């Protein structure tokens, strides 16, 4: 009898815990005492969540790299690629530089503590920062960003902030995700054309998902299995699962023959996100070649955004921008470190793959970001300058490129110039209300936004051009 009662006690205790978990378990009953560092908090987390720690260490969020399953022709590669070892046309590279502070300025957004250089131990679960994804204590995020390399600043620790942060853990909210993803490229709304802090207070006109009455959060769509978060950005070489509009809206338009006909070739985002950067201005050009000059006052103001920094060069910004429209079958052609370029041509960093004959491809919207960045004139490849506490301090390109090449394991000939680049960024957020979706004439008219010939059609399929459905 005692044994039966014991079994039922365990059973009902498990049910109680499940109920707590679904409602958001109050961890203050389990977590007490003083914490002197972030890793001390992680040790406490791992007492109950050791398997979650092991799972997380296998993810791209932790490694900033993964199998290049997103890159055409590299699917069988044994090497892993990601933010840690690839080039972009914003801040260019995480690994450019031998000074640990260069990497530390980037890894302030890493979900770990103390990644400053190659000595960081990715195999030690105590280095994981559980709080950045799970705390609801708002002051924690500023303390992490100001601590350097993802560590937490001393003042926050001494004020007892880590205990408050640990006791408030739960399901990730928008601020857990947005603290890093809204600020990619060095500032709010810089990189992405639909991920920025305006989503925190979005109304329905800005985003039908993040606003009332839906009030969804990032993890409602970007679900995770063993801490592998779904989502496939065209900026990255790897993904751990895709998120599709049809995950929730599978039967939309199928009852309307005309609309259903479009589903074969047109992505949902193409009609339902009529412009990118709808919340605030996003960067559309970064020209490094103009850097190093004395600040010119007449270049300062553009929509409350800086258009020139002596350390970074010239910027251009855009709001409510009509996207570029390209065929995309789920793969990209990715520029990898060391790839040759033709400096007379625009170099694509991550061109979407697909064309009108590709039955897996659909027409998707993209934000275009133009760059002008250093390349080696003899080796003919893009370079990785040492920026933070490097070029941004001394404005000496030669010194920055020598140090940057060492940090990236590249050869630098000593001769450089600047090359034009373009990066295509997925437009999948800030979905407009259905009444703001594109209408027929937005595409099918002489002033329509689609370049039919560039997309492979002879002309507008509504007025006689060949339809892919035929």
């Amino acid at each position: 009898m005692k044994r039966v009662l014991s079994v039922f006690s365990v059973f009902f205790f498990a049910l109680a815990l499940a109920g707590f978990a679904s409602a958001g378990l109050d961890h203050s009953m389990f977590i007490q005492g003083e914490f002197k560092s972030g890793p001390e908090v992680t040790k406490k987390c791992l007492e109950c969540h050791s398997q979650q720690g092991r799972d997380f260490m296998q993810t791209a969020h932790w490694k900033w790299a993964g199998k290049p399953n997103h890159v055409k022709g590299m699917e069988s590669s044994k090497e892993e690629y990601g933010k840690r070892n690839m080039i972009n046309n914003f801040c260019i590279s995480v690994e450019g530089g031998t000074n640990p502070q260069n990497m530390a300025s980037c890894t302030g957004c890493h979900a770990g503590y103390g990644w400053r250089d190659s000595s960081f131990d990715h195999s030690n679960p105590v280095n994981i920062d559980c709080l950045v994804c799970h705390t609801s204590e708002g002051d924690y995020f500023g303390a992490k960003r100001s601590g350097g390399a993802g560590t937490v600043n001393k003042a926050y620790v001494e004020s007892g902030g880590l205990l408050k942060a640990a006791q408030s853990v739960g399901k990730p909210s928008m601020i857990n995700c947005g603290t890093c993803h809204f600020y990619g490229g060095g500032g709010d709304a810089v990189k992405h054309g639909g991920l920025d802090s305006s989503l925190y207070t979005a109304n329905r006109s800005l985003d039908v998902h993040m606003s009332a009455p839906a009030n969804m959060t990032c993890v409602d769509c970007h679900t995770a299995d063993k801490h592998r978060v779904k989502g496939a950005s065209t900026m990255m070489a790897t993904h751990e699962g895709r998120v599709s509009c049809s995950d929730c809206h599978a039967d939309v338009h199928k009852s309307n023959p005309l609309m259903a006909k479009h589903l074969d070739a047109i992505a949902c985002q193409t009609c339902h996100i009529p412009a990118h950067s709808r919340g605030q201005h996003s960067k559309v050009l970064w020209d490094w070649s103009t850097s190093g000059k004395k600040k010119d006052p007449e270049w300062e103001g553009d929509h409350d955004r800086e258009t020139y920094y002596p350390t970074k060069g010239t910027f251009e910004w855009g709001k409510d921008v009509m996207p570029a429209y390209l065929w995309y079958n789920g793969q990209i052609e990715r520029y990898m470190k060391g790839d040759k370029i033709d400096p007379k041509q625009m170099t694509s960093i991550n061109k979407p793959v697909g064309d009108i004959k590709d039955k897996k491809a659909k027409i998707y919207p993209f934000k275009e970001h133009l760059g002008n960045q250093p390349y080696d004139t003899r080796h003919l490849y893009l370079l990785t300058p040492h920026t933070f506490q490097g070029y941004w301090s001394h404005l000496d390109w030669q010194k920055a490129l020598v140090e940057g090449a060492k940090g990236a394991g590249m050869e630098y000939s000593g001769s450089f110039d600047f090359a034009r680049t373009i990066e295509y960024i997925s437009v999948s957020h800030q979905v407009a209300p259905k009444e703001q979706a594109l209408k027929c004439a937005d595409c099918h008219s002489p002033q329509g936004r689609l370049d039919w010939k560039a997309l492979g059609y002879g002309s507008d399929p509504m007025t006689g051009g060949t339809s892919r459905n035929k």
Side-chain angles (χ1 to χ4, degrees):
M1 184 65 178
K2 287 183 179 179
R3 184 176 178 183
V4 171
L5 287 174
S6 176
V7 170
F8 273 97
S9 297
V10 171
F11 174 71
F12 284 114
F13 180 67
L15 283 180
L17 281 182
F20 271 127
S22 63
L25 180 62
D26 181 0
H27 279 66
S28 63
M29 67 179 78
F30 306 114
I31 301 174
Q32 298 294 331
E34 181 182 4
F35 296 103
K36 297 181 180 179
S37 70
E40 287 189 11
V41 177
T42 302
K43 286 181 181 179
K44 187 66 177 178
C45 298
L46 293 172
E47 289 178 8
C48 295
H49 303 290
S50 59
Q51 182 59 52
Q52 285 80 1
R54 290 191 289 271
D55 289 341
F56 184 69
M57 288 192 295
Q58 304 306 311
T59 69
H61 259 109
W62 174 245
K63 296 186 289 183
W64 277 10
K67 297 295 183 182
N69 57 358
H70 202 174
V71 182
K72 181 181 179 181
M74 296 184 68
E75 299 88 347
S76 61
S77 172
K78 295 181 180 179
E79 299 296 323
E80 293 192 331
Y81 296 90
K83 184 187 291 290
R84 69 188 297 172
N85 58 5
M86 296 196 311
I87 287 176
N88 60 56
N89 68 358
F90 287 86
C91 292
I92 300 180
S93 172
V94 171
E95 61 182 351
T98 56
N99 183 334
Q101 292 306 312
N102 187 78
M103 177 171 279
S105 68
C106 298
T107 56
C109 258
H110 181 241
Y113 297 116
W115 187 5
R116 288 185 167 82
D117 54 33
S118 59
S119 67
F120 180 75
D121 188 357
H122 279 83
S123 67
N124 186 353
V126 173
N127 288 331
I128 297 171
D129 179 1
C130 307
L131 296 178
V132 75
C133 293
H134 291 284
T135 189
S136 59
E137 205 290 293
D139 291 338
Y140 178 80
F141 306 103
K144 177 177 171 70
R145 291 300 298 271
S146 60
T151 60
V152 184
N153 70 42
K154 184 178 179 181
Y156 184 79
V157 174
E158 292 178 346
S159 71
L162 286 173
L163 177 60
K164 289 170 59 180
Q167 290 180 332
S168 73
V169 296
K171 180 180 178 180
S173 69
M174 198 188 305
I175 193 171
N176 294 106
C177 304
T179 293
C180 285
H181 289 282
F182 292 175
Y183 294 84
D188 191 7
V190 167
K191 186 175 286 186
H192 298 279
L195 290 177
D196 61 70
S197 66
S198 65
L199 290 175
Y200 290 136
T201 56
N203 56 31
R204 184 173 178 273
S205 180
L206 177 62
D207 192 294
V208 296
H209 297 115
M210 300 296 198
S211 61
N215 290 323
M216 294 172 65
T217 65
C218 307
V219 295
D220 288 325
C221 291
H222 296 278
T223 57
D225 177 31
K226 296 183 178 180
H227 274 80
R228 295 178 181 269
V229 181
K230 291 182 179 179
S233 167
T234 48
M235 302 186 76
M236 290 291 102
T238 188
H239 67 80
E240 296 176 324
R242 294 185 179 277
V243 175
S244 172
C245 300
S246 60
D247 293 344
C248 294
H249 304 290
D251 297 324
V252 173
H253 300 315
K254 288 189 177 179
S255 61
N256 183 323
L258 179 62
M259 296 299 293
K261 187 177 180 180
H262 284 72
L263 300 179
D264 173 67
I266 306 296
C268 304
Q269 296 93 319
T270 300
C271 292
H272 289 278
I273 309 178
H276 70 72
S277 309
R278 300 197 306 118
Q280 54 182 306
H281 287 84
S282 179
K283 192 173 290 184
V284 295
L285 178 142
W286 186 332
D287 184 354
W288 284 89
S289 71
T290 63
S291 64
K293 301 175 183 178
K294 185 178 179 181
K295 194 166 187 177
D296 186 342
E298 71 179 32
W299 286 1
E300 286 193 15
D302 180 15
H303 313 293
D304 296 322
R305 296 285 193 167
E306 201 88 42
T307 57
Y308 183 76
Y309 281 126
T311 56
K312 297 181 180 181
T314 303
F315 307 139
E316 290 182 8
W317 304 82
K319 187 175 185 295
D320 295 315
V321 181
M322 187 180 76
Y325 295 101
L326 300 170
W327 292 103
Y328 175 51
N329 67 10
Q331 290 187 307
I332 57 172
E333 294 175 349
R334 187 60 165 83
Y335 179 90
M336 293 297 186
K337 187 175 65 178
D339 286 350
K340 300 289 186 182
I341 69 166
D342 179 355
K344 296 180 181 179
Q345 304 293 325
M346 179 83 77
T347 296
S348 176
I349 300 291
N350 62 339
K351 185 179 180 181
V353 175
D355 57 43
I356 193 172
K357 297 178 181 179
D358 185 343
K359 293 300 183 181
K360 293 182 178 180
K362 293 186 179 184
I363 298 171
Y364 278 83
F366 296 91
K367 171 189 169 181
E368 292 180 316
H369 182 262
L370 301 177
N372 198 25
Q373 59 198 96
Y375 78 98
D376 191 303
T377 59
R378 295 180 188 171
H379 294 305
L380 295 179
Y381 50 54
L382 298 178
L383 293 167
T384 59
H386 174 194
T387 52
F388 186 76
Q389 293 194 356
Y391 183 75
W392 292 346
S393 298
H394 52 62
L395 300 181
D396 183 335
W397 272 117
Q398 282 292 358
K399 186 175 181 180
L401 293 172
V402 167
E403 289 299 310
K406 289 179 182 177
M410 302 177 71
E411 289 187 15
Y412 172 48
S413 70
S415 176
F416 77 96
D417 204 340
F418 294 88
R420 295 175 299 125
T421 59
I422 186 169
E423 195 150 359
Y424 298 95
I425 304 169
S426 311
V427 173
S428 295
H429 301 88
Q430 295 183 356
V431 177
K434 61 182 180 180
E435 54 270 21
Q436 295 178 23
L438 297 183
K439 306 298 188 292
C440 300
D442 288 314
C443 296
H444 299 288
S445 70
Q447 294 77 37
R449 57 176 60 200
L450 294 187
D451 185 337
W452 296 108
K453 290 187 177 180
L455 290 167
Y457 296 89
S459 60
D460 184 343
M462 179 176 276
T463 58
T466 302
S467 169
R468 189 170 77 156
N469 292 297
K470 297 178 182 179

